[in-house]
Amino acid sequence: MKQYQIAVVVGSLRKESFNRKLASAIAKLAPADFSFRQVGIGDLPLYNQDDDAGPADSVKRLKREIIDSQGLLFVTAEYNRSIPGVLKNAIDHASRPYGQSAWAGKPAGVIGVSVGSTGTSMAQQHLRNVLSYLDVPTLGQPEIFLQAKDGLFDEAGDIGAGSRKFLQNWMDRYVAWVKKHAA
Ligand SMILES: Cc1cc2nc3c(=O)[nH]c(=O)nc-3n(C[C@H](O)[C@H](O)[C@H](O)COP(=O)(O)O)c2cc1C
């Protein structure tokens, strides 16, 4: 059976991040031929085009993990109605040098959770704009805008009963999307 390795990019460095928790929980809804690995972005330097010729080891590692994956999952926080700078920094790093982007063609999903009732919708929309430019085919529907509140996760850290059916449907659609577009 062909295996699909998914590179998961969490748009938050916070230790107790709801988005990191969501990334771990939703991965458990995937079928056995999918495996998910969260890629580290907290050790990346600030992107500087002067470094394109000699990228840091963390940048090379990030690009390798993206290139070796068959799909992408972005699970992002919303900061000031956009994506957190740490996520944009990671995206910029792996998009360069010009013509050597690691992102191009990798099928992606975009989800997120915030404490606000708009559930990262603005951040996701900004992220979709960036991914479109980077030639990343991104699942359009269903959209997932989650608010962090009691019951979203159960005591084991899994998706709570109230959201499970909805998120399982998203995962099923995401799996089909990756299979359709993966190289
Ligand atoms: C700098 C900053 C800006 C924020 N801006 C927004 C925002 O625009 N919309 C929103 O819903 N929540 C906003 N929040 C609250 C986040 O939803 C909340 O901190 C959330 O826990 C972040 O996700 P995380 O738990 O994965 O780190 C902001 C938080 C910070 C620290």
Side-chain angles (χ1 to χ4, degrees), residues 68-135:
D68 287 348
S69 72
Q70 284 72 52
L72 308 168
L73 175 58
F74 292 89
V75 188
T76 191
E78 179 171 286
Y79 280 3
N80 300 315
R81 297 292 185 257
S82 187
I83 55 174
V86 288
L87 175 56
K88 185 60 165 52
N89 187 53
I91 292 172
D92 291 343
H93 268 300
S95 73
R96 290 278 158 161
Y98 183 77
Q100 295 173 45
S101 170
W103 305 110
K106 303 278 178 190
V110 171
I111 63 174
V113 52
S114 76
V115 298
S117 59
T118 53
T120 74
S121 61
M122 294 279 286
Q124 289 188 39
Q125 202 54 50
H126 285 192
L127 178 55
R128 285 179 185 280
N129 194 52
V130 174
L131 296 178
S132 165
Y133 173 71
L134 291 172
D135 210 14

Side-chain angles (χ1 to χ4, degrees), residues 4 36 42 45 85 93 95 101-102 105 133 139 153-154 165 171:
Y4 295 85
F36 292 73
H93 268 300
S95 73
S101 170
Y133 173 71
L139 179 67
F153 303 106
D154 65 18
K165 193 171 166 211
M171 177 56 79

